[in-house]
Amino acid sequence: MNKIALQVENISFSYSGKLALDSVSFEVKNGDCAFLLGPNGAGKSTLFSLITRLYDYRQGKISICGFDVKKQTTKALAKLGVVFQQPTLDLDLSVMQNLRYHTALHGISRKKARKRIQEELERFNMYERRFEKIRQLNGGHRRRVEIARALLHKPSLLLLDEPTVGLDVPSRKSIVEHVHQLVAERDLAVLWASHLIDEIYSSDNLVILHQGKIKANGSIEKVLNLTQTTAIHEAFQRLTQSGAIA
Ligand code: ADP
Ligand code: MG
């Protein structure tokens, strides 16, 4: 039985009285790649802000590798790697400088940092670009650097918030393949917010969010059975239309 990397229990959250998440519960195990699918405004980024502790929540519980995000924040966040929806690299610093800053924040020694940075960049064919400023890289390469950065401290859980939006097809493909490889090789747990159904592999799990509510959750087979459909896009459409299955 794989360990639970992320557990979200009964989480609700409002922006000044407007409900954005409504009693959300699900879990992601190590070795699972779970796609958090939802149309714009579903609450995906809000959920990520709660998991990463950017926002506080009053109701429910979130745990990362068994550590309560609210009560054991440092231990929980040490297990977490994140790529936010909006890029967060410093454009005027080099790839190396951006990554060094991250390893320093995580208390990784310079020697170990050098090795980890090389490993992650090489895997992504970005090591030879390490002295270039982020500004010189295209969108796909910038996202690769952000994913490499999120992995430097060897997290157990990786959150990706629509990392491929706006990228060309080869860049998207390279990121999709890389992340799935990481899941298989490192027993990583991934929660990947997206609305691009073609990025999903048949072994992935789905968490379908609509208007702040989980509409379905589990293997693709389970979600197709629930919705009596034969393809993910049909299931998604059925669940995210008004009058959808509750
Ligand atoms: P998604 O990432 O799935 O597109 P969001 O989590 O960004 O969805 O948004 C969920 C809902 O919360 C939307 O109705 C959005 O308008 C609202 N919302 C998001 N951020 C804020 C904010 N900072 N202040 C007020 N409302 C917000
Ligand atoms: Mg979002």
Side-chain angles (χ1 to χ4, degrees), residues 39-46 85 161-162 193:
N40 276 338
K44 304 182 296 297
S45 295
T46 303
Q85 186 162 6
D161 197 352
E162 310 211 29

Side-chain angles (χ1 to χ4, degrees), residues 9 27 87 91 118 131 152 194-195 213 246:
E9 294 169 84
E27 60 189 40
L91 297 178
Q118 183 170 354
F131 297 122
L152 289 174
S194 181
H195 55 253
K213 286 196 176 89

Side-chain angles (χ1 to χ4, degrees), residues 85 143 161-168 172 193-196 199:
Q85 186 162 6
R143 278 308 204 185
D161 197 352
E162 310 211 29
T164 59
V165 167
L167 301 183
D168 56 35
R172 279 181 53 196
S194 181
H195 55 253
L196 302 168
E199 296 180 341

Side-chain angles (χ1 to χ4, degrees), residues 97-231:
Q97 285 169 324
N98 271 283
L99 298 189
R100 274 264 166 79
Y101 182 64
H102 183 87
T103 52
L105 283 180
H106 277 276
I108 299 171
S109 72
R110 277 185 84 82
K111 191 175 162 207
K112 197 165 168 214
R114 205 176 306 130
K115 186 167 161 274
R116 291 291 302 125
I117 289 170
Q118 183 170 354
E119 281 168 1
E120 293 304 336
L121 287 179
E122 271 179 349
R123 276 188 62 111
F124 234 157
N125 292 324
M126 289 299 292
Y127 190 60
E128 63 281 10
R129 312 286 302 269
R130 66 192 178 282
F131 297 122
E132 290 181 36
K133 283 191 178 168
I134 301 298
R135 201 177 283 289
Q136 291 166 260
L137 305 181
N138 68 29
H141 288 155
R142 290 180 192 185
R143 278 308 204 185
R144 288 189 199 195
V145 174
E146 282 199 290
I147 296 172
R149 179 180 62 179
L151 295 167
L152 289 174
H153 58 291
K154 297 200 170 164
S156 298
L157 172 68
L158 177 65
L159 301 183
L160 300 169
D161 197 352
E162 310 211 29
T164 59
V165 167
L167 301 183
D168 56 35
V169 173
S171 297
R172 279 181 53 196
K173 191 162 176 279
S174 136
I175 289 175
V176 169
E177 282 175 5
H178 188 79
V179 171
H180 281 99
Q181 227 171 43
L182 289 167
V183 171
E185 286 172 20
R186 294 194 199 166
D187 210 28
L188 190 68
V190 172
L191 182 64
W192 182 322
S194 181
H195 55 253
L196 302 168
I197 284 161
D198 60 336
E199 296 180 341
I200 303 170
Y201 281 22
S202 60
S203 54
D204 293 340
N205 285 324
L206 305 176
V207 180
I208 298 185
L209 188 68
H210 181 48
Q211 295 176 342
K213 286 196 176 89
I214 302 273
K215 294 289 182 178
N217 169 23
S219 67
I220 294 173
E221 194 189 351
K222 186 178 160 192
V223 174
L224 295 183
N225 276 336
L226 171 80
T227 51
Q228 296 289 297
T229 54
T230 51

